[in-house]
Amino acid sequence: QLFGPLQPLAHQVYAKLEGRLVVNENVSIWSRYDLDITNDFEDAFPSDSVLPHVRTDLNLYLTEGSSGFNALFAEGRYSLSDSLHNRTYIGILEEMFSGVGTEFLYHKYDRRWAIGASAAWVRQRDYEKNFNHLDYNTITGFLSLYYASPIGNFDLAMHAGKYLAKDRGITFEARRTFDNGFKIGAFFTRTNVSAEEFGEGSFDKGLYFEIPIDYFVKGNTRS
């Protein structure tokens, strides 16, 4: 973790234990447990955000929950037709939230565009990352539009709906994939939260990239 206000550099070394139980061709149970080996995270700088603390208490999850479940959920995937697909899930979805939700995607195989819709009820997990929860819960939902550009391997997406902090708005994404598999993208989100309420940075935005392992390993390998 870089550029913390009191701790410019913090680290954790941990073992990630993952598992998948295949119930049938449509249903699986996924699990992930993180076992802390060593870390130096601190929670001495609590968040002063006026919005619900849906992400800003991260360091509490990294200190009080240095070891714990990061996922334990059942998932069903179904194709209702050649063009309409569904994913439904219930359980511990990630390190901060549990819940139940469903997603639909409409996409014809020969089209460059797709439409998605999703909804979920989620509840915030206890900082120790066990089976307990905090009082905060909400319903999120989004309508999404995807487009694969024929020029430059750009993938574009727009999501409109309700977020974890109960604000409403739109997220825009753009990503380019290069011939060697390297990906770079950017996103930004504008909601009905003012810049003053949001605080430093004024609104959500970021960059991301992926470097494929094939870039460093010449030839095919099972590992």
Side-chain angles (χ1 to χ4, degrees), residues 82-83 85 106-114 146-148 150:
D82 291 341
S83 305
H85 313 283
Y106 176 80
H107 175 236
K108 287 184 175 292
Y109 73 94
D110 59 346
R111 305 291 172 84
R112 290 191 168 271
W113 57 271
Y146 306 94
Y147 180 70

Side-chain angles (χ1 to χ4, degrees), residues 32-36 43 57-71 92 94-97 124-134:
R32 171 180 163 181
Y33 187 90
D34 288 356
L35 180 64
D36 180 65
D43 60 357
D57 289 335
L58 171 63
N59 272 30
L60 292 174
Y61 287 95
L62 294 172
T63 52
E64 297 184 29
S66 56
S67 293
F69 278 100
N70 270 31
I92 298 174
E94 43 127 301
E95 63 179 344
M96 299 185 193
F97 286 91
Q124 193 165 20
R125 299 182 61 198
D126 187 80
Y127 303 128
E128 294 184 5
K129 288 194 287 192
N130 49 29
F131 295 99
N132 297 324
H133 292 80
L134 306 178

Side-chain angles (χ1 to χ4, degrees), residues 131-147:
F131 295 99
N132 297 324
H133 292 80
L134 306 178
D135 291 334
Y136 186 81
N137 65 86
T138 188
I139 295 175
T140 67
F142 295 93
L143 291 175
S144 302
L145 178 64
Y146 306 94
Y147 180 70

Side-chain angles (χ1 to χ4, degrees), residues 34-35 58 78-80 97 99 144 155 165 179 196 203 207 215:
D34 288 356
L35 180 64
L58 171 63
Y78 303 90
S79 291
L80 307 177
F97 286 91
S144 302
D155 296 316
D179 290 340
E196 291 74 18
F203 64 93
L207 301 171
Y215 189 75

